[in-house]
Amino acid sequence: MGQTLEQIAGKLKESDKKVQLIYAFNGTGKTRLSREFKKIIEPEVEEDEGQEEQQRKFLYYNAFTEDLFYWDNDLINDQEPKLKIQPNEFTDWILKEQGDVNIIENFQRYADEKLTPQFFEKVEVKKNKENKNEKFTTYPEVTFSFERGDRDEGDARVNFKVSKGEESNFIWSIFYTLLQEIISILDEPNKSKRSDNQFDELEYVFIDDPVSSLDDNHLIELAVDIATLIKSSESDLKFVVTTHNPLFYNVLHSEFNEKFYKKKKGEEPKLIYRPKDFCASRLDKGEDGLLDLMLSSHNSLSYHLFLLSEIQTAIDENKIKKYHFNFLRNVLEKLSTFLGYSRWQDLLR
C-alpha cells in the first residue's frame, strides 16, 4: 500500500541500520524525501533570545546544496568569472579549520589534476552573541584556473568558468571534505577530547546523487570512496544514500556488502563494519503519487531486467506511459551494443 513522503521518512528513521541505500528513478521524490527526513530528525524551532543555539542533528547533500553556489560571469569585462558562495557555516568552518588543501585534492581526484580552485578570504565585522563587534572570516567566492609548472610568480592567472559537471564535482568535494572531518572528529568517543563539539549531536547524514555527470571510471572511484569513508565511521552516525544511477548503486551495494577493518598503529585490525549494518531498497512512485519503499534482495540491481519487468507490468495492466518507450530504447541500445548492431532500431523486428 502506498505511503506519503512523510511516512517513508518515518520508515527510514525506524531502521536500525548504519547505512540505507535507496534506488529510485529521477522524479520519484528523492530530494523531497531528504527534506521530509530532516523535518523529522531536526524539526525547526523558534529561537528565544538568549537561548543556546541548537546543535545540528542532520546533515544532507542534495540539489539544495548546489543552490548555495552561483556564478558571477563578469559580463562587462568577460575576464573574471567567479563562483560565488552563499553565506553558510559549513563552508566557512571547513576552510577556516582545515584550509583548502583537502578540498582541492578531492576535487582534482575526479577532475583534471591541474584545474585548481582558489578561495578568496574576506574578514567582516559582525555582532556576536554578546552583541559585541567581532571579526569573522568568510570565504565568499572562488575562481578556477589551470596551474602550469612553468608559470612565474609574476604571470597573470587566467580564470575561467568551469563546466556544469566540474562545478557539481567541486561542490561535492567541499561536502566530502566536510564529511571526512566530521567523521574523524566523532570517531573520538570522549567528547571532551574532540577538536570541535558542534557536531556532538549529529545523528544522520543524507546523500542524494552526489555527482551524476562523472564518467563511469570516476563514478566507480567516487562510489568506492564514499563507501569506504562511511564504513570507516566508528561513531553512532547513520547514513542514507539515494541515487538514480544503476552503476553507482551497484558499486555501493557491492562495497557495503564487504566487511571493513580499521588498523591503528601497534594494534590488531579491528572489525568496525559488517554487511548486516546495511540494507538496500527501491523507492517506487505509484499512479496516485504515493510511494513504496521495498527492501531489495542481497543481489545488486540488474537494471535491464528491472526495466523489462516494469515494461511487462505496464503491458499487463494496460498502463503504458511515454517513459516506458524510453525504458525500451534503453534496453535495446544496450542489447545492440552487446550483439554488435550499429543501430538499436535493427532489433525492433
Side-chain angles (χ1 to χ4, degrees):
M1 188 173 179
Q3 295 182 303
T4 64
L5 277 172
E6 185 179 3
Q7 290 171 320
I8 296 294
K11 287 182 69 173
L12 297 181
K13 186 179 184 300
E14 291 170 4
S15 174
D16 61 351
K17 300 296 184 182
K18 180 184 183 72
V19 187
Q20 297 181 76
L21 175 64
I22 301 172
Y23 177 84
F25 287 123
N26 265 338
T28 304
K30 303 188 303 299
T31 302
R32 287 181 289 123
L33 177 60
S34 69
R35 302 284 286 182
E36 288 296 329
F37 194 34
K38 181 181 185 297
K39 289 179 184 178
I40 293 176
I41 305 301
E42 194 179 73
E44 293 183 5
V45 294
E46 293 186 9
E47 291 187 9
D48 296 329
E49 193 171 340
Q51 180 184 14
E52 286 190 16
E53 188 176 348
Q54 186 179 14
Q55 283 214 323
R56 188 175 292 272
K57 296 182 179 179
F58 186 87
L59 181 67
Y60 65 87
Y61 179 92
N62 60 17
F64 292 98
T65 310
E66 298 198 5
D67 290 342
L68 292 173
F69 300 79
Y70 64 98
W71 282 97
D72 175 358
N73 290 320
D74 188 21
L75 296 177
I76 297 176
N77 300 312
D78 195 26
Q79 291 180 346
E80 291 293 330
K82 304 178 182 71
L83 186 62
K84 296 283 191 176
I85 305 175
Q86 300 273 17
N88 71 94
E89 56 185 307
F90 292 124
T91 302
D92 291 341
W93 178 79
I94 193 66
L95 286 165
K96 185 176 180 180
E97 295 297 322
Q98 302 299 317
D100 59 9
V101 175
N102 289 338
I103 293 175
I104 293 173
E105 287 181 353
N106 285 329
F107 171 64
Q108 291 177 336
R109 182 175 174 84
Y110 309 110
D112 192 302
E113 62 180 11
K114 296 198 180 292
L115 179 55
T116 306
Q118 182 179 18
F119 292 88
F120 288 86
E121 182 179 302
K122 183 178 180 181
V123 178
E124 299 179 358
V125 177
K126 299 179 183 177
K127 298 287 186 182
N128 60 18
K129 292 180 180 179
E130 287 77 34
N131 204 32
K132 296 179 181 179
N133 286 335
E134 186 175 335
K135 290 183 178 180
F136 290 86
T137 302
T138 62
Y139 301 84
E141 62 187 42
V142 60
T143 60
F144 296 86
S145 61
F146 276 106
E147 294 297 326
R148 303 193 311 272
D150 58 348
R151 188 170 69 85
D152 295 329
E153 289 295 326
D155 288 350
R157 177 182 276 108
V158 179
N159 299 325
F160 60 90
K161 184 175 181 178
V162 296
S163 69
K164 186 63 180 175
E166 290 165 333
E167 178 189 340
S168 176
N169 180 13
F170 171 72
I171 297 169
W172 164 253
S173 298
I174 294 178
F175 181 88
Y176 184 74
T177 305
L178 172 68
L179 188 57
Q180 284 178 310
E181 186 61 23
I182 290 174
I183 288 176
S184 175
I185 290 172
L186 296 183
D187 278 352
E188 170 53 63
N190 188 336
K191 293 182 180 180
S192 64
K193 293 183 179 180
R194 290 175 179 172
S195 60
D196 196 295
N197 294 107
Q198 66 170 306
F199 304 107
D200 286 353
E201 303 302 318
L202 191 65
E203 297 178 7
Y204 286 91
V205 176
F206 196 114
I207 301 172
D208 174 31
D209 268 333
V211 180
S212 58
S213 55
L214 290 175
D215 61 68
D216 286 355
N217 289 335
H218 283 120
L219 194 67
I220 291 170
E221 188 175 12
L222 177 70
V224 172
D225 288 344
I226 292 175
T228 302
L229 180 60
I230 289 175
K231 292 194 296 184
S232 73
S233 172
E234 298 186 68
S235 68
D236 294 329
L237 201 56
K238 293 182 178 179
F239 301 84
V240 179
V241 184
T242 60
T243 183
H244 74 282
N245 187 298
L247 175 61
F248 188 64
Y249 175 93
N250 281 341
V251 176
L252 286 174
H253 195 290
S254 176
E255 291 295 314
F256 285 133
N257 268 309
E258 296 289 336
K259 295 179 181 178
F260 187 85
Y261 293 84
K262 183 178 281 188
K263 188 178 187 308
K264 295 181 180 179
K265 191 174 182 180
E267 298 180 6
E268 290 294 318
K270 177 185 176 184
L271 179 62
I272 62 171
Y273 174 88
R274 300 169 178 82
K276 68 182 181 66
D277 299 327
F278 156 72
C279 71
S281 306
R282 198 178 82 223
L283 185 65
D284 286 340
K285 188 175 184 179
E287 290 286 326
D288 54 4
L290 295 178
L291 303 166
D292 283 312
L293 185 66
M294 298 170 290
L295 284 175
S296 300
S297 67
H298 291 293
N299 299 320
S300 57
L301 178 68
S302 296
Y303 187 59
H304 60 294
L305 297 180
F306 172 57
L307 292 183
L308 288 171
S309 174
E310 290 291 301
I311 294 170
Q312 189 61 56
T313 300
I315 294 171
D316 294 342
E317 297 178 0
N318 196 25
K319 293 180 178 179
I320 298 175
K321 304 293 183 181
K322 183 178 179 180
Y323 65 84
H324 289 114
F325 291 92
N326 291 331
F327 288 178
L328 180 60
R329 174 168 177 169
N330 190 310
V331 173
L332 291 175
E333 283 182 336
K334 288 178 171 59
L335 186 58
S336 64
T337 300
F338 180 75
L339 295 177
Y341 286 86
S342 59
R343 299 169 67 251
W344 65 268
Q345 294 92 328
D346 294 339
L347 294 175
L348 286 174
R349 62 179 179 271

